[in-house]
Amino acid sequence: MVAGHLREKSGYYYAVLNYTDSLGKRKTKWISTGLTVKGNKKRAEAILMDARRNFNPEEPKVMNGDILFADYMEKWLDIIKSSVAVPTFASYSTTVKKIVAPYFREKEVTLKNLTAKDIQEFYLSELERVSPSSVIHYHANIHKALKYAVKIDLIDVNPADKVERPKKDRYVGSFYDADEVNALFEAAKGSKLELPILFGAFYGLRRSEAIGLKWDAIDFDQNTITIRHTVTSCDLDGKRVLVASDTTKTKSSMRTLPLVPFMRERLLTLKEEQQENRRLCGRSYIKEYLEYVCVNEIGDLIKPHYVTESFPKLLKAKGMRQIRYHDLRHPYVKHTTKNKSLQKQKSQTINADSLGFLFFEDVAFVLVRFNFSLLEKKVEIASAHLFELSLIHISEPTRHLRI
């Protein structure tokens, strides 16, 4: 006999049964008694006891090659759910439930009868409405699911191995020049986008890194910012969820950057503003995100999707050229994190290539005032000048510093 109890909902009694299915997952089933709460507790308890005695959980259908391919794809999601990250599963789930399964359910093709031709026709159909890059993502899901089907002997070969993937489009990013960056900083000043934009354009942070920046990652004594925590959002089971993680996109993305005077002053001011906002709001201030830098006036975290959706709106409102938020980091990445000599270095300590250059065509604009104390070795520069905080035009492209 399964466990159960009574619950009141909207003035009525419900019998709530708790059980474990054949896969070991805990399940809950609600059964309406049809009885109002007032004066019916004993009758409701009798109905509950009867439901507990007679309840038989539905046995899952045995999976074999005769299962519809659409049904198999959805079952595959349940199988991999515990083995992949939440954002990854959300992406898989959206692709399967909204795109792959509906198409193949209409075709009524079974797993064992699925052919490379069926998959190829699906890709050709999708290419009429989405980009090749999207179809490549669909292919990755289908191939992985069919590879598992081969592994557990539901099919002998993976038909996706025989399919021609579309060629991925090469995305050509666009980025702002110095004047546009300055104009953007001015346009975002005082808005919720100000800090994410500063972090993106100034330090080359990804959206997840900017939103995930915590106060304990900023060392005001040593004047460093350490990138080690991220926050992303995804749509899962019809709900938008936040995913916080003490990881970054890649191992090399965990890095320490110099806290330059301009950013130091801005962040110290922001910290005081947040403390004052917390005092003014009292109990209404949201305590959940006290550790984070990018929060609004009531302490709520600035959400990743808000940055993505609001950034183009800001550009349009200010009459500025449209780029993606992610494009803010392109000039920085091109000449720092993707520098070949930097890739060879195993150490994540600060070096000359990561001190904040933005390159535009053949002119370099220095965004930071060097803090040479951060370097492991002493750096000597012939001119021995410290650059001002504002953007400075250099007549010749800046040479990389040798340490």
Side-chain angles (χ1 to χ4, degrees):
M1 186 168 64
V2 299
H5 60 278
L6 288 177
R7 288 288 296 273
E8 298 178 12
K9 185 177 180 181
S10 302
Y12 286 83
Y13 277 121
Y14 285 80
V16 182
L17 307 182
N18 304 298
Y19 65 98
T20 303
D21 67 11
S22 60
L23 298 177
K25 293 184 178 181
R26 297 180 66 181
K27 301 283 186 177
T28 300
K29 184 176 181 64
W30 285 59
I31 301 173
S32 173
T33 65
L35 300 174
T36 57
V37 172
K38 189 175 181 179
N40 287 310
K41 186 172 183 179
K42 288 187 177 180
R43 293 175 61 192
E45 287 175 342
I47 293 175
L48 170 64
M49 184 58 68
D50 186 59
R52 290 177 61 195
R53 288 196 192 99
N54 299 320
F55 178 72
N56 289 310
E58 289 185 12
E59 290 295 327
K61 295 179 181 178
V62 177
M63 192 163 57
N64 55 45
D66 292 321
I67 188 175
L68 286 176
F69 177 58
D71 291 337
Y72 169 75
M73 289 297 296
E74 292 182 346
K75 287 183 177 296
W76 173 73
L77 288 175
D78 293 332
I79 293 168
I80 66 161
K81 186 173 184 178
S82 61
S83 63
V84 297
V86 173
T88 302
F89 178 76
S91 175
Y92 287 177
S93 182
T94 298
T95 297
V96 170
K97 292 182 178 180
K98 293 187 177 181
I99 300 166
V100 178
Y103 175 90
F104 284 101
R105 194 177 304 284
E106 187 176 322
K107 301 296 180 182
E108 297 184 345
V109 60
T110 63
L111 175 61
K112 71 178 183 181
N113 291 329
L114 181 70
T115 65
K117 182 174 179 291
D118 295 326
I119 300 173
Q120 195 76 67
E121 288 177 351
F122 167 63
Y123 293 168
L124 292 174
S125 172
E126 289 299 304
L127 284 170
E128 294 179 3
R129 68 176 194 88
V130 298
S131 69
S133 295
S134 295
V135 175
I136 290 173
H137 286 303
Y138 304 163
H139 173 78
N141 290 170
I142 291 173
H143 188 276
K144 189 172 183 179
L146 291 174
K147 184 178 180 180
Y148 180 77
V150 173
K151 181 179 179 180
I152 61 175
D153 298 323
L154 293 181
I155 53 178
D156 295 325
V157 295
N158 187 342
D161 285 335
K162 305 175 184 178
V163 177
E164 289 292 328
R165 293 193 321 165
K167 186 176 180 181
K168 186 176 182 179
D169 290 335
R170 185 174 181 274
Y171 178 78
V172 180
S174 176
F175 55 85
Y176 278 175
D177 61 26
D179 291 336
E180 289 174 306
V181 170
N182 276 330
L184 178 60
F185 287 164
E186 188 62 31
K189 194 172 183 179
S191 72
K192 289 192 289 185
L193 288 176
E194 180 183 2
L195 265 297
I197 286 175
L198 279 174
F199 290 141
F202 200 88
Y203 283 117
L205 301 195
R206 297 178 178 88
R207 181 189 68 170
S208 60
E209 295 168 347
I211 301 302
L213 188 64
K214 292 184 175 182
W215 285 112
D216 64 7
I218 303 172
D219 189 330
F220 290 104
D221 294 325
Q222 297 298 319
N223 290 325
T224 60
I225 298 178
T226 301
I227 310 305
R228 62 189 180 210
H229 183 81
T230 58
V231 173
T232 58
S233 63
C234 58
D235 294 322
L236 186 63
D237 298 329
K239 297 179 180 179
R240 182 164 281 172
V241 297
L242 286 179
V243 181
S245 175
D246 288 327
T247 59
T248 51
K249 185 176 181 181
T250 62
K251 185 178 179 180
S252 62
S253 295
M254 283 195 174
R255 57 205 187 276
T256 299
L257 302 171
L259 178 60
V260 298
F262 161 72
M263 287 299 294
R264 187 179 191 277
E265 291 174 13
R266 180 67 188 93
L267 289 171
L268 285 172
T269 300
L270 177 67
K271 198 166 190 178
E272 291 178 0
E273 291 173 356
Q274 290 181 3
Q275 290 172 348
E276 179 64 10
N277 288 337
R278 184 178 179 184
R279 186 187 68 81
L280 292 173
C281 293
R283 292 183 178 181
S284 298
Y285 196 82
I286 298 173
K287 309 296 193 300
E288 185 178 354
Y289 304 110
L290 291 177
E291 298 176 286
Y292 290 90
V293 174
C294 293
V295 297
N296 63 17
E297 294 83 354
I298 61 171
D300 195 15
L301 186 69
I302 297 173
K303 306 301 190 294
H305 60 270
Y306 173 83
V307 175
T308 302
E309 295 166 1
S310 298
F311 184 69
K313 294 178 182 178
L314 173 68
L315 300 186
K316 184 177 180 180
K318 301 298 182 179
M320 303 183 69
R321 181 163 59 89
Q322 287 289 332
I323 62 171
R324 304 175 307 167
Y325 172 80
H326 191 75
D327 292 332
L328 291 176
R329 72 188 300 265
H330 280 184
Y332 181 91
V333 171
K334 181 178 179 182
H335 294 278
T336 56
T337 59
K338 292 188 178 180
N339 182 276
K340 291 182 180 179
S341 63
L342 184 61
Q343 287 180 336
K344 293 178 182 178
Q345 297 179 13
K346 301 299 182 182
S347 173
Q348 293 302 307
T349 54
I350 297 299
N351 52 59
D353 285 340
S354 60
L355 284 175
F357 288 114
L358 273 182
F359 286 77
F360 302 101
E361 298 176 353
D362 61 344
V363 181
F365 299 86
V366 181
L367 286 184
V368 305
R369 182 174 183 173
F370 291 122
N371 185 341
F372 294 115
S373 64
L374 295 173
L375 302 176
E376 289 185 333
K377 297 181 181 180
K378 185 177 180 181
V379 178
E380 293 183 359
I381 301 179
S383 61
H385 289 302
L386 292 177
F387 298 108
E388 297 296 330
L389 293 176
S390 58
L391 296 175
I392 301 176
H393 291 252
I394 308 299
S395 58
E396 294 182 1
T398 302
R399 301 286 187 262
H400 291 294
L401 302 176
R402 295 183 180 275
I403 304 176

